[in-house]
Amino acid sequence: MQDFNLIIQDNFGQLSEAELELLRSFFKEEKLPKNAYFTQSDKVCDKLSLIKSGILRVYAVVDGKEITQWISTENYLITEIAGFFFNQPNRWSIQAFTDVELLTLSKKNYLKLCQEFPKWLDIEKRFIVKCFAMIENRVFSHLSMTAEERYDAYFEHNKELFNQVPLQYIASVLGMSAETFSRIRKRKSESS
């Protein structure tokens, strides 16, 4: 994991050392063993975490079929947005695919942080805007790119995941069947 301060500065703007120290004090170390849940669908997520190490999978079960929405790795913030920010039952389950180490901001500390550290609202706004931009980019890629182009783009930015998680999860993130994903992967390996 990158240093907490660098991650915050790189993603959410410049803060003084004292501000970073105060912000860091609200986050607590947490470990999740492989297969443990960060949060589950139909519950209300009560935390937002920065991933220090490990992989988390965000998924839902629809008509008996698992749909992987996202695979999150170190240096990323993770939460279930509907649950954490709007106190609504989660749509998504978030499960540890590997052993995971987190820096976690509980809902209680989040509310306290909002009162004691006004700059947090700007950080939160940037986090939500980044989430929205990622979703917008995914929608755009699904509407404007072929399955092979989506595969190439995802592979370019997430090569390590192709050896760490079952490929059907990546196929699901990319909005394609496991069979389509396998055909593209086979074609890529034959042409290289």
Side-chain angles (χ1 to χ4, degrees):
M1 176 183 164
Q2 290 179 347
D3 177 65
F4 177 85
N5 294 357
L6 285 174
I7 293 168
I8 297 300
Q9 303 277 34
D10 289 348
N11 289 290
F12 305 109
Q14 295 301 307
L15 300 172
S16 71
E17 288 295 321
E19 290 171 328
L20 286 164
E21 192 173 314
L22 174 65
L23 181 59
R24 174 63 180 88
S25 72
F26 283 89
F27 285 80
K28 305 300 177 214
E29 301 272 340
E30 181 183 9
K31 292 184 179 189
L32 283 178
K34 181 179 180 175
N35 297 323
Y37 283 92
F38 177 87
T39 193
Q40 290 180 278
S41 64
D42 296 326
K43 296 188 176 175
V44 176
C45 185
D46 62 354
K47 57 188 173 181
L48 178 143
S49 296
L50 178 62
I51 303 170
K52 288 177 65 175
S53 67
I55 300 170
L56 290 161
R57 181 172 75 108
V58 181
Y59 74 96
V61 178
V62 179
D63 296 329
K65 182 180 175 186
E66 285 187 3
I67 298 170
T68 300
Q69 187 246 18
W70 193 251
I71 299 168
S72 199
T73 56
E74 71 178 41
N75 301 326
Y76 283 92
L77 287 167
I78 185 116
T79 192
E80 208 287 351
I81 290 175
F84 189 76
F85 290 107
F86 302 110
N87 292 318
Q88 297 175 356
N90 302 339
R91 289 184 206 142
W92 305 97
S93 291
I94 303 174
Q95 186 177 26
F97 185 74
T98 63
D99 289 342
V100 178
E101 292 182 34
L102 305 162
L103 292 174
T104 296
L105 178 65
S106 68
K107 185 71 175 214
K108 180 181 171 184
N109 274 353
Y110 162 79
L111 295 171
K112 194 173 167 185
L113 181 59
C114 290
Q115 291 178 341
E116 294 182 21
F117 187 55
K119 281 189 178 178
W120 175 253
L121 297 176
D122 187 48
I123 292 170
E124 177 183 78
K125 179 180 168 187
R126 289 174 191 228
F127 169 69
I128 292 170
V129 167
K130 283 186 102 166
C131 291
F132 185 76
M134 286 171 45
I135 292 167
E136 202 172 55
N137 287 339
R138 286 188 64 200
V139 169
F140 182 78
S141 73
H142 280 73
L143 295 174
S144 67
M145 298 168 85
T146 66
E148 190 162 337
E149 289 169 334
R150 289 194 311 273
Y151 176 100
D152 290 342
Y154 194 83
F155 183 79
E156 184 63 32
H157 292 98
N158 300 284
K159 287 182 181 111
E160 72 286 347
L161 285 180
F162 281 67
N163 295 318
Q164 295 176 318
V165 301
L167 298 179
Q168 74 261 21
Y169 296 159
I170 297 172
S172 185
V173 168
L174 295 174
M176 62 181 79
S177 69
E179 295 78 19
T180 298
F181 185 91
S182 292
R183 278 194 300 275
I184 293 169
R185 187 168 167 83
K186 183 178 179 189
R187 213 170 28 248
K188 296 286 180 189
S189 67
E190 289 172 353
S191 67
S192 52

